[in-house]
Amino acid sequence: MGLYDAYLATRHRLHDAEPPAHVALVVTERDLLADGAFDTLSSAIGWAFEYGAERVTVSVSVLDRAVAPTLVRELRRLDTPTETVVRGPEVDGGPEQGSPDAATEAGTAADADAPVRILVGLGGKAEFAGAVRELASDVAAGEITPEAIDETDVAERLLFPEEPDLVIKTGAERLSDFAIWQSVYAELYFTDVNWRDFRRREYLRAVLDFQDRQRRFGR
């Protein structure tokens, strides 16, 4: 660790505010094409736990659905410090690629409790639409009435219902259709540094920025 990184780490350690317990990293298919990109992701997940996170969610947005299965295979080989689940669109006759139903069939109920969750090509709009379809089926089956539906009913039907405290996006100020429902009250941190140049100091800057903020949760 360099001197500047050590300085930032000391500021973090001495800060009065708590660090983010749930960190989300938003990367793109293009980000992962750079040399060393998977090693950077592995390191970033490690830094998150080193500096106080209890859960990490990674969203990998893709432009070409055909590359998603390859990314899923590579990400399942990722070296991470704790249990990790990777979800992506299913192929070979399964549900429509990119649908939340496909991801649900690919995983198990225990997956939602994994400390590290990586979603490949599963956008927030599709996830929310899947939750609405499931609610509509429950209404049609008489299991719930429309009047009784509340925020909890929607959240329980999402792929990963937990809300991140901090969302980090490199390279551009847009979220790439990530966790539309879950991120509504998250603190967003955008950095001009591209993913290939993302280092420990960039992560610490994001955490310190979070600790310096006064969270309002929509109030």
Side-chain angles (χ1 to χ4, degrees):
M1 183 188 301
L3 286 176
Y4 184 61
D5 293 350
Y7 161 72
L8 293 175
T10 300
R11 282 186 55 198
H12 156 71
R13 187 175 65 253
L14 298 178
H15 206 290
D16 292 335
E18 292 294 321
H22 182 180
V23 176
L25 302 169
V26 182
V27 299
T28 67
E29 164 196 340
R30 177 175 292 183
D31 290 332
L32 294 180
L33 293 177
D35 290 341
F38 288 95
D39 291 336
T40 298
L41 181 56
S42 178
S43 296
I45 293 171
W47 299 329
F49 287 101
E50 182 179 351
Y51 297 114
E54 300 172 359
R55 186 182 296 279
V56 176
T57 298
V58 180
S59 170
V60 182
S61 63
V62 297
L63 296 176
D64 182 1
R65 292 283 185 185
V67 307
T70 300
L71 286 174
V72 168
R73 286 195 297 271
E74 292 300 317
L75 287 164
R76 283 177 176 159
R77 301 189 184 105
L78 197 68
D79 183 18
T80 59
T82 186
E83 181 185 357
T84 299
V85 59
V86 182
R87 287 186 177 180
E90 290 296 284
V91 292
D92 300 331
E96 181 182 355
Q97 292 190 23
S99 72
D101 294 337
T104 300
E105 290 192 5
T108 66
D111 290 346
D113 292 327
V116 178
R117 293 89 55 87
I118 303 177
L119 293 78
V120 180
L122 300 174
K125 290 181 179 180
E127 181 188 29
F128 186 74
V132 172
R133 284 196 299 272
E134 187 172 338
L135 276 169
S137 295
D138 292 344
V139 169
E143 297 177 6
I144 189 173
T145 64
E147 296 78 11
I149 296 173
D150 59 17
E151 294 178 6
T152 301
D153 294 308
V154 176
E156 287 176 346
R157 289 163 175 80
L158 299 174
L159 291 177
F160 295 124
E162 293 87 357
E163 300 177 1
D165 298 305
L166 172 65
V167 177
I168 300 175
K169 176 67 170 69
T170 64
E173 292 193 5
R174 62 186 184 86
L175 286 181
S176 306
D177 186 25
F178 166 70
I180 293 171
W181 179 278
Q182 300 94 318
S183 296
V184 65
Y185 296 139
E187 297 298 319
L188 309 181
Y189 182 85
F190 299 98
T191 173
D192 291 334
V193 173
N194 290 322
W195 182 252
R196 65 176 179 271
D197 299 317
F198 193 77
R199 299 293 182 266
R200 181 189 296 266
R201 64 187 56 187
E202 296 302 326
Y203 183 80
L204 281 167
R205 285 171 177 159
V207 170
L208 284 167
D209 183 82
F210 174 88
Q211 291 178 292
D212 286 338
R213 298 186 187 185
Q214 181 180 358
R215 301 192 70 188
R216 298 184 180 277
F217 297 97
R219 296 190 294 271

